[in-house]
């Protein structure tokens, strides 16, 4: 994207008030970013994939706190390529495509450009940004259905995300999706994930065997699981960073928990040196038996909120 395009985005959507600030930058000439500052938090979002890269809440005195989002120190920022870290949007399928292994894992929404619809400063001084995307010429063969997707990100003391899929066609469609959030943690081997005890899950590391969680989730090896029938709140307890991160959601009954651990991380090439120790993915999803069928003329709404509490 050239300077003229960035200037045009700033002219149309940049926001500055006594409370908040939003502007567009393109540090490398091909990967435009949105920088947001509010009284309660700062954030960075990429226009490619509407991919949130950073969310830093502020304390009562306005001091910026530790990022709740993990981004690899070796993340690659290239058009058409997924970024390791942040909050990628998996859509319109989760994991490998069910019938065509040549299609990209987790769909194409995370690697295509999204368009801005509007930027709003709300009455509580939060900033809400609304994006949209629709199939491009290079993705229509992957997803010929007539759909429109909207994605709303609200930056304030809490981070809120809404992913809406509208079926504008004449036939029902079925989607899988996830907000594939990489949370930053002090040490993944010492944090605990609460809220999934006594829940069934599919263990991808063990050939998708169905198992049942006993107590909080802890990480001391590779973990790749789809927890089933999970609509309740989850909490990441991180005594090292002296905080809890509460994850609340609507429109999702599956939760994916992932950490590649050392051997798999070393094969990936973009996790950074021992990066797996500082990240834990907890994904609000519609996956496995929780895929969603959307009738013609109707929509599906996935809403997720992250709330940070000092401990």
């Amino acid at each position: 994207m050239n300077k003229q395009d960035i200037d045009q985005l700033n002219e149309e959507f940049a926001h500055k008030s006594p409370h908040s600030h939003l502007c567009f930058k393109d540090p490398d000439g091909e990967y435009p970013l949105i920088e947001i500052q509010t009284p309660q938090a700062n954030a960075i979002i990429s226009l490619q994939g509407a991919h949130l890269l950073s969310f830093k809440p502020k304390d009562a005195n306005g001091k910026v706190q530790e990022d709740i989002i993990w981004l690899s120190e070796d993340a690659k920022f290239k058009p058409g390529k997924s970024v390791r870290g942040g909050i990628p949007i998996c859509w319109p399928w989760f994991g490998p495509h069910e019938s065509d292994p040549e299609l990209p894992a987790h769909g194409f929404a995370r690697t295509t450009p999204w368009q801005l619809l509007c930027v709003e400063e709300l009455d509580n001084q939060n900033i809400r940004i609304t994006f949209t995307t629709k199939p491009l010429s290079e993705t229509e063969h992957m997803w010929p259905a007539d759909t429109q997707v909207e994605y709303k990100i609200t930056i304030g003391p809490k981070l809120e995300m809404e992913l809406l899929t509208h079926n504008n066609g004449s036939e029902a469609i079925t989607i899988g999706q996830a907000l594939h959030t990489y949370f930053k943690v002090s040490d993944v081997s010492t944090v605990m994930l609460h809220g999934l005890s006594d829940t069934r899950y599919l263990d991808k590391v063990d050939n998708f065997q169905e198992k049942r969680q006993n107590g909080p989730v802890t990480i001391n090896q590779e973990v790749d699981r789809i927890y089933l029938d999970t609509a309740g709140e989850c909490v990441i307890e991180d005594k090292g960073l002296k905080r809890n991160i509460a994850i609340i959601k609507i429109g999702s009954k599956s939760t994916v928990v992932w950490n590649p651990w050392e051997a798999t991380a070393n094969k990936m090439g973009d996790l950074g040196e021992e990066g797996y120790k500082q990240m834990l993915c907890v994904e609000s999803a519609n996956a496995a038996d929780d895929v969603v069928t959307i009738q013609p003329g109707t929509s599906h709404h996935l809403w997720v909120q992250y709330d940070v509490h000092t401990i």
Side-chain angles (χ1 to χ4, degrees):
M1 184 171 286
N2 60 40
K3 183 178 184 301
Q4 183 176 356
D5 294 327
I6 292 295
D7 290 345
Q8 184 174 343
L9 282 169
N10 276 313
E11 182 176 345
E12 187 172 356
F13 294 107
H15 174 84
K16 189 171 185 179
S17 75
H19 310 293
S20 302
H21 179 75
L22 180 148
C23 69
F24 297 82
K25 296 184 178 180
D26 192 358
D28 59 10
E30 59 181 0
Y31 210 90
L33 304 175
I34 309 171
E35 294 187 356
I36 307 107
Q37 297 178 9
T38 78
Q40 299 90 7
N42 294 344
I44 300 174
I45 306 169
S46 165
L47 278 178
Q48 177 170 285
H51 190 144
L52 190 141
L53 302 172
S54 173
F55 177 79
K56 296 179 179 180
K58 297 177 181 178
D59 66 15
N61 298 317
K63 182 180 178 181
V64 178
Q65 302 298 292
E66 187 81 35
D67 213 319
I68 73 165
I69 303 299
W70 179 85
L71 183 66
S72 171
E73 62 184 20
D74 288 346
K76 299 174 174 62
F77 296 92
K78 296 292 182 183
K81 302 295 183 183
S82 60
V83 174
R84 181 65 64 192
I87 308 181
I89 300 172
C90 303
W91 185 94
W93 57 85
F94 178 81
H97 190 275
E98 64 177 4
S99 62
D100 189 346
E102 298 300 315
L103 294 181
H106 297 317
F108 51 83
R110 61 182 178 160
T111 57
T112 56
W114 288 61
Q115 296 78 46
L116 264 76
L117 290 179
C118 65
V119 172
E120 309 164 83
E121 181 172 341
L122 307 181
D123 291 342
N124 56 9
Q125 300 176 8
N126 294 352
I127 291 285
R128 177 181 294 152
I129 307 152
T130 302
F131 301 88
T132 188
T133 190
K134 45 191 173 182
L136 305 173
S137 57
E138 59 266 33
T139 61
E140 282 179 337
H141 70 286
M142 305 184 203
W143 187 251
D146 184 5
T147 51
Q148 180 184 6
V149 184
E150 289 184 59
Y151 185 45
K152 300 181 180 182
I153 302 176
T154 303
I155 307 298
K158 304 173 185 179
L159 174 62
E160 294 184 16
M161 294 155 290
E162 302 174 74
L163 186 61
L164 298 95
T165 301
H166 307 277
N167 181 2
N168 297 327
S170 58
E171 298 181 357
I173 59 172
T174 299
I175 63 167
Q177 60 184 356
L179 296 177
H180 191 309
T181 304
Y182 291 74
F183 288 99
K184 184 173 184 178
V185 297
S186 58
D187 182 339
V188 74
S189 66
T190 64
V191 303
M192 290 190 291
L193 177 62
H194 302 276
L196 297 173
S197 184
D198 200 34
T199 300
R200 295 179 302 121
Y201 67 88
L202 303 178
D203 190 347
K204 183 178 178 182
V205 177
D206 191 14
N207 199 31
F208 285 96
Q209 291 291 313
E210 183 174 308
K211 303 179 181 179
R212 188 172 290 274
Q213 180 66 36
N214 181 22
V217 180
T218 56
I219 311 293
N220 56 20
Q221 61 185 340
E222 182 177 0
V223 170
D224 194 350
R225 303 170 182 171
I226 303 175
Y227 286 84
L228 309 172
D229 299 320
T230 59
E233 176 180 316
C234 289
V235 176
I236 300 173
E237 180 186 0
D238 189 344
K239 292 181 179 178
L241 288 176
K242 300 179 180 179
R243 69 186 184 189
N244 288 342
I245 302 173
I247 303 164
I248 305 167
K249 61 180 184 172
I250 299 171
S252 159
K253 292 184 179 179
S254 49
T255 299
V256 178
V257 180
W258 177 67
N259 182 284
W261 209 246
E262 185 174 11
T264 300
N266 288 341
K267 298 174 185 175
M268 298 175 70
D270 61 355
L271 269 166
E273 185 176 358
E274 297 192 330
Y276 73 94
K277 292 183 177 180
Q278 275 73 55
M279 54 75 66
L280 176 63
C281 283
V282 183
E283 309 166 36
S284 299
N286 296 109
D289 60 1
D290 184 39
V291 293
V292 177
T293 297
I294 308 173
Q295 298 298 326
T298 65
S299 305
H300 180 260
H301 180 198
L302 171 63
W303 176 89
V304 181
Q305 179 191 87
Y306 303 145
D307 190 7
V308 187
H309 301 276
T310 301
I311 56 175

